Each structure stands twice: as C-alpha cells, then as structure tokens.
Amino acid sequence: NAGVTQTPKFRVLKTGQSMTLLCAQDMNHEYMFWYRQDPGMGLRLIHYSVAEGTTAKGEVPDGYNVSRLKKQNFLLGLESAAPSQTSVYFCASSERQNRGGTGTQYFGPGTRLTVL
Amino acid sequence: AQKVTQAQTEISVVEKEDVTLDCVYETRDTTYYLFWYKQPPSGELVFLIRRNSFDEQNEISGRYSWNFQKSTSSFNFTITASQVVDSAVYFCALRTTDSWGKFQFGAGTQVVVTP
C-alpha cells in the first residue's frame, strides 16, 4: 500500500515548456486535489476532482489544466510554464465524506518544480 | 466563507520546553472538521489529528495534546517536552460538510527546537 505517489520528484523547465505531473493513489479514494506551496503562502488549491471524469477549479487554477481519466490517477498539466509557477506541488486524496469517510486528506511527497 | 488563522509565524524553543500552537477558525457551518498536519524539513505532509465539531473532547497522545473549544473557535495543539525531531511547520485546516472535501489551510507555524 503505497498511499499517494507523485512523479516526478524534481523537474527544471525553461519558460514556455510544457509538462505533466502525475499523481496516483491506491486507497480507492473518491476525491483528489492538487496544491502548490510557496514560501509564506501556505497551501493553495489549484484544481480538484470529486469523481473519475470530473474536475473543478480551486483557488489558483490559471495556467494549469487537470484530468482524471482513471479513479486512481490525477494529472496536472502546465501547457506553457512560467517562472511564477516555480513551486512545490502536492497531490492529496481523501474518502468521500458523505459515505462515512473521515475526509482526511493524505498527501503525496511533493514535486519540486523550477521554471527558468 | 471559511478562514483559518495561525497567528504565530515561528516559535523557537529549547529542547524539553512545551510548545503550544494556536489555531482560530471561522465558519458559519454547524458541522465541520478540524485537522493538524506536520511538515518536517524533508517536506512531506503528515496527518496528525482530526476532530469534528460535535466532539469537543480533548485528547492526549504521547507528547501531543489538542484543545478544541467551540466557544472561542479555537483548536490548539501542544507539544510537551519538545524534541529536535518536532522541528517542522505545523498546519491547521478546516473542512466543512458542503466543501466537496476541500480544506481551508492556515498559513502554518514554524517550530524550531534547539538542543
């Protein structure tokens, strides 16, 4: 039981390049989330998904796209990276709260992205 | 709207001292859940505790204890006899029942424990 995993762990991009971050969870959780963490800013929600095939915008969605084609995977895409997207990205998953789940979010180890 | 305030940016203590982290929340919902997470220097986010709005029973788990008071909208966390391994950023978070599982995180409190 690996919990939540993220690929890659580190990445350096040049401005304008694109990339996809992969999040995978093996806990059969309904909900999945992408956050970014910047110094002094805490955790900010980028996008989230409450079910396979469904995604929604969070607090800071601009410049990112997501997809949830499989229940266990949640992909975060940067189509044209900008230096402002330099950050640490965390994925999290949780049970669906109205089915008796605790709603506790479990986090992946993070991806450190630098955009030059 | 939901809001979580962690007014303490950084707390520095010497090993074996007690540390209390403050968390004040705002919500209009009557059913909600509060969480504490730990982020050590290695960077991962570790779940510590969850409390729901119907359970004001305070808890002690080893050197950790939590004080939940609905009357003051506070969910404080205390580390007793701190150790160097407690050095981390601690986040308080709030989830309401209508939030589709989304959390509102506080800004975090950096705890530095020196030998």
Side-chain angles (χ1 to χ4, degrees):
Chain A
N1 188 339
V4 181
T5 58
Q6 291 182 232
T7 308
K9 288 185 170 55
F10 302 93
R11 186 72 185 268
V12 177
L13 291 178
K14 294 181 179 178
T15 298
Q17 288 184 320
S18 62
M19 77 163 295
T20 300
L21 282 67
L22 171 64
C23 175
Q25 53 94 4
D26 62 3
M27 297 175 282
N28 200 35
H29 283 170
E30 296 278 356
Y31 296 169
M32 296 188 74
F33 309 85
W34 275 108
Y35 293 91
R36 60 178 289 173
Q37 185 178 30
D38 304 292
M41 300 292 288
L43 289 151
R44 293 184 292 171
L45 183 65
I46 305 171
H47 286 280
Y48 64 103
S49 170
V50 299
E52 179 181 324
T54 301
T55 64
K57 294 180 180 180
E59 182 185 352
V60 288
D62 294 342
Y64 305 95
N65 56 75
V66 288
S67 64
R68 185 131 179 242
L69 300 180
K70 294 182 180 181
K71 184 178 182 179
Q72 65 268 32
N73 295 339
F74 195 27
L75 278 64
L76 177 71
L78 287 73
E79 291 186 346
S80 179
S84 61
Q85 294 178 304
T86 293
S87 188
V88 180
Y89 292 86
F90 287 97
C91 176
S93 70
S94 73
E95 295 171 298
R96 187 170 177 174
Q97 58 202 44
N98 61 0
R99 288 184 181 175
T102 67
T104 300
Q105 289 190 16
Y106 295 93
F107 286 81
T111 295
R112 187 172 295 274
L113 174 66
T114 301
V115 183
L116 303 176
Chain B
Q2 279 67 244
K3 185 178 180 180
V4 175
T5 302
Q6 294 181 253
Q8 303 150 309
T9 304
E10 181 171 328
I11 300 175
S12 294
V13 297
V14 177
E15 215 171 12
K16 298 185 181 178
E17 289 183 340
D18 296 348
V19 181
T20 295
L21 308 181
D22 298 333
C23 174
V24 175
Y25 61 92
E26 295 177 25
T27 179
R28 293 181 180 178
D29 291 345
T30 56
T31 302
Y32 51 89
Y33 302 83
L34 294 160
F35 302 80
W36 276 100
Y37 285 82
K38 175 183 179 180
Q39 186 175 40
S42 53
E44 72 271 24
L45 281 148
V46 179
F47 164 67
L48 295 177
I49 190 171
R50 179 188 80 112
R51 271 290 174 270
N52 66 51
S53 52
F54 298 106
D55 179 10
E56 286 194 74
Q57 181 178 357
N58 295 316
E59 180 177 333
I60 297 175
S61 176
R63 295 185 298 106
Y64 297 162
S65 62
W66 293 269
N67 186 351
F68 176 30
Q69 292 192 344
K70 287 179 70 173
S71 60
T72 56
S73 297
S74 64
F75 185 43
N76 297 336
F77 170 47
T78 297
I79 305 171
T80 301
S82 61
Q83 301 176 1
V84 173
V85 293
D86 296 325
S87 295
V89 180
Y90 292 83
F91 291 96
C92 181
L94 166 70
R95 174 175 70 79
T96 56
T97 53
D98 63 349
S99 65
W100 291 105
K102 292 181 290 182
F103 280 19
Q104 182 65 51
F105 281 93
T109 297
Q110 172 82 57
V111 173
V112 178
V113 182
T114 54

